[in-house]
Amino acid sequence: ASSSKRSIYEASTQYRHWRFSPEDLAHTRASLNTAAVSLIRDAFEADEARSSANVSFLNADEESLLVKLYLTKIPQLCSLFQFPEEVEATAMTYLKRFYLKNTVMDWHPKNVMLTALFLATKTTNHPIPVATYTSRIPKTQPSDVLDLEFLVAQSLGFDFAVWHAHRALWGSALDVQVLPDITSAEVRRVHQIALNYVHASRLTDAEFIYTPAQIALASLSMVSAPLAEIWARRTYADKADLLLAVLEPIKTMISTHGQAPDVEAVRNVDRRLKLCKNPEKVVGSRAYMKKQEEAEQRASEKRKRKAAAARKAMEEGDPFGSELAGDVGIEDDDDDD
């Protein structure tokens, strides 16, 4: 923070908005879960008195477990569509970021995952028509994707650019190939194995805590610790010891959490989710109908205010309505719902 010369990465939205300490990350998820349970319990009670008494709500760890399962679905879909790795990595980041702002009890990860992947194809410049996209995914309609697209983008804070560890690893591989006594074939072998560890890191919280370069070097170290150390000392000289010290917790995180979750454990969470899902999101429930009525009432009042402001502008001789901004205010922006 005291450096007068910052890297490009340090100027990114990822560095500014999406980095946490492990404690802050745990607190963010726990606070989000607690707030969500409180609101959903109130929604149950509004729908039917005392209906929340026997509901077993998910905790933060259980929510993360379910999200992790759908993280594993993204590489499978990318393989089906033959999307490049940039799309895959970006979609996985989007899905994890979404659930730092939202709960699975409001938005099930299945459709959020499909929307995150579709959005990633566009933000990485590999777009696909939504009809083509959904036609190859069973039981999926374009509306399942498009209805959530703005919500996902908004939850990301419209921070679409993502810095990835696989790119940093490629840069490291280019560097080490000029070292003496190492062949191109060995570099390719080491890079490929290290890339598998980078892939595993996407199932963890590593990218929220460490930089892409640190994750890449940790992955390289898991294949060849001496090679990673040589690279670090050649590249960072007197700061190498500090960098190398950071690698151990990353390697532990990848080894411990970089695998797909237990399917039976996830099934149990998903079964419970069906019973504790926010009734305001369940089509046909009283809570859902009430929410829809309130939204329609707000929209109707907004239209009336805009119409009144437009009439006033016309009556005062300004057909372009320059007074609208002052009279109506930002709360009448159509994008705020």
Side-chain angles (χ1 to χ4, degrees), residues 206-224:
E207 67 179 293
F208 291 134
I209 303 170
Y210 304 101
T211 70
Q214 290 169 339
I215 297 169
L217 189 58
S219 299
L220 180 62
S221 181
M222 293 177 80
V223 183
S224 175

Side-chain angles (χ1 to χ4, degrees), residues 130-207:
V130 67
T132 303
Y133 178 66
T134 56
S135 68
R136 302 187 65 184
I137 304 174
K139 300 179 181 179
T140 304
Q141 302 296 322
S143 59
D144 295 330
V145 173
L146 298 180
D147 287 353
L148 291 177
E149 190 172 30
F150 182 77
L151 173 66
V152 171
Q154 189 178 50
S155 298
L156 299 176
F158 303 97
D159 296 336
F160 296 132
V162 183
W163 292 64
H164 294 298
H166 70 269
R167 287 188 171 274
L169 179 64
W170 175 242
S172 299
L174 294 177
D175 287 343
V176 300
Q177 69 181 357
V178 303
L179 297 177
D181 303 323
I182 186 167
T183 65
S184 297
E186 178 64 8
V187 171
R188 287 195 296 270
R189 185 191 72 83
V190 170
H191 173 260
Q192 188 55 54
I193 299 173
L195 188 59
N196 291 334
Y197 288 119
V198 168
H199 293 166
S201 76
R202 294 174 189 159
L203 298 177
T204 75
D205 289 330
E207 67 179 293

Side-chain angles (χ1 to χ4, degrees), residues 251-263:
K251 292 160 68 173
T252 299
M253 181 179 289
I254 294 173
S255 299
T256 306
H257 302 291
Q259 304 86 26
D262 178 71
V263 174

Side-chain angles (χ1 to χ4, degrees), residues 38-86:
S38 177
L39 290 172
I40 295 171
R41 181 177 282 113
D42 290 345
F44 267 103
E45 294 298 321
D47 197 34
E48 183 179 349
R50 295 184 296 279
S51 60
S52 69
N54 297 318
V55 175
S56 176
F57 293 98
L58 303 186
N59 61 37
D61 290 338
E62 289 167 333
E63 289 198 56
S64 295
L65 189 67
L66 186 59
V67 172
K68 188 174 185 178
L69 176 69
Y70 284 93
L71 283 171
T72 68
K73 304 296 184 184
I74 291 176
Q76 297 173 22
L77 284 172
C78 288
S79 178
L80 172 67
F81 287 101
Q82 296 186 322
F83 291 147
E85 183 159 19
E86 192 75 7

Side-chain angles (χ1 to χ4, degrees), residues 283-326:
V283 178
S285 71
R286 285 193 290 270
Y288 175 86
M289 298 302 294
K290 181 180 179 182
K291 190 78 171 179
Q292 293 297 105
E293 290 172 1
E294 291 173 350
E296 177 54 35
Q297 184 177 356
R298 288 197 302 271
S300 177
E301 291 172 353
K302 182 184 294 186
R303 289 192 293 269
K304 290 177 181 177
R305 289 196 299 272
K306 286 189 174 182
R311 283 195 301 272
K312 178 181 178 182
M314 293 295 290
E315 291 168 358
E316 294 180 358
D318 185 356
F320 298 104
S322 60
E323 293 90 346
L324 290 180

